[in-house]
Amino acid sequence: MVKIEAFAVEQWMDKYETTAKYNTAETCCASISVDDLRALSDDKESDPLAQLQSTKLTYGPIRGSDKLRNTLANLYSVRAPTQLPMDNILITGGAIQANFLLLYTLAGPGDHVICHYPTYQQLFSVPASVGAEVSLWKSKEADGWQLDIEELKGLIRPNTKLIIINNPQNPTGAIIPRQTLQQLVDIAREKSIIIHSDEVYRPLFHNISPADPRFPPTLLSMGYERTVVTGSVSKAYSLAGLRVGWVASRDNSIIEALANARDYTTISVGQIDDAIASFALAPDCIHNLLKRNIDLARTNLSILEKFIDTHRWACEWIKPQAGTTAFVRFNKMGKPVDDVAFCEMLQERTGVMLVPGSLCFGVGEDFKGYVRIGYVNETEVLEQGLDALGKFMEDGYEDVPVKKSLQK
């Protein structure tokens, strides 16, 4: 029988996000409406919903509309050695379904999987649930949450089938730079290992320039066929309510395998969701939408940085380079706080919502005292939330217990 571990971060979000007064745990850029999209678009004549008024709402194109898949294929082909065919993209119900289908289909008993860590729990829990053995490729906070290629070499086994990375990374906001990606590709190509890159926070790069030699390209552009990436319109594009994600690969056999598995789940993505996503990602809109969100991320990150600097007596971090989240460690007299108790007390007393790192991202005793902060929400929400957090730090922080070790 398949053993599914509790999905800690999603259960935490489900428990608290609807009652939070200040949701500073949100991982999506501040959400927008269809009217907002139309205002952002340079095409002022089109309405993504107009054509659907008289369209019969069938299942629609099972793999996603030609328009949406062509749009994505063109985006992935920028600066790539060859054009990505439309048929190498499968539209899914959000990136979470894209990841699940990929991991469920490609991993199983007898396989070994290596997963970037810390990361979204789905990426290591799903392959373990279907019988694969999972090794964690741990990034180092002391090195700016970077990965060590030499460590990867030591993790690879004869039965290693899949290496999973998350770039930009949740929860730290770090990136895997181009040089590391190239080394990873070289190793995987030599051993014919599939690389899965969860790129759901791409292309929200706000603290690193595309001219920087470390700037990471999408893995699909690096010339290795056995790569597969996942993404969605939820995080960088502010449209989580659409439930539109995708899988893209240079290896069409991977797409076919996932399409076969997907027949057992959602069959297709709704026509309305597909149409709005196509409008948002079209050239007339995508650049303005991304500019809006990158500007918002930079503004809000500066606000969060000032808070961290003011409270260095209690917290520290590695400043994020991309994405929407920061991983911040809180301590008392050098000892990590009980991050679960801290987040619960904070929610109860102030309405500020954060995510406890040890519960939602840690294995064993990892990440004691860490919390994930989502900072690319509406600026007013972040400011008010941090103001309430700051008052709690003055009046209630002394009540927060330190984390006790489980070791004897």
Side-chain angles (χ1 to χ4, degrees), residues 294-304 375 379 382-383:
I294 289 173
D295 287 347
L296 179 63
R298 286 173 175 160
T299 295
N300 288 7
L301 184 61
S302 177
I303 293 169
L304 179 57
Y375 58 87
T379 300
L382 180 67
E383 289 178 326

Side-chain angles (χ1 to χ4, degrees), residues 40 45 47 56 60 81 109 137 142 144 146 150 152 184 189 201 241 265 291 322 325 331-332 341 349 391 400:
L40 284 167
E45 304 300 319
D47 180 348
K56 292 184 179 180
W137 185 17
Q146 292 303 297
E150 292 304 313
L152 173 66
L184 169 59
R189 179 184 282 116
Y201 290 94
T265 58
K291 182 181 185 304
T325 62
N331 63 80
K332 295 176 72 173
R349 297 187 188 185
K391 291 176 181 176
V400 178

Side-chain angles (χ1 to χ4, degrees), residues 19 32 44 78 138 278 300 306 315 317 340 361-362 384:
T19 58
I32 57 175
K44 301 303 182 185
V78 174
K138 298 183 178 183
S278 297
N300 288 7
K306 290 177 182 177
C315 59
W317 69 339
V340 176
F361 297 97
Q384 292 177 352

Side-chain angles (χ1 to χ4, degrees), residues 383-394:
E383 289 178 326
Q384 292 177 352
L386 292 179
D387 182 62
L389 174 57
K391 291 176 181 176
F392 176 85
M393 298 298 290
E394 294 176 4

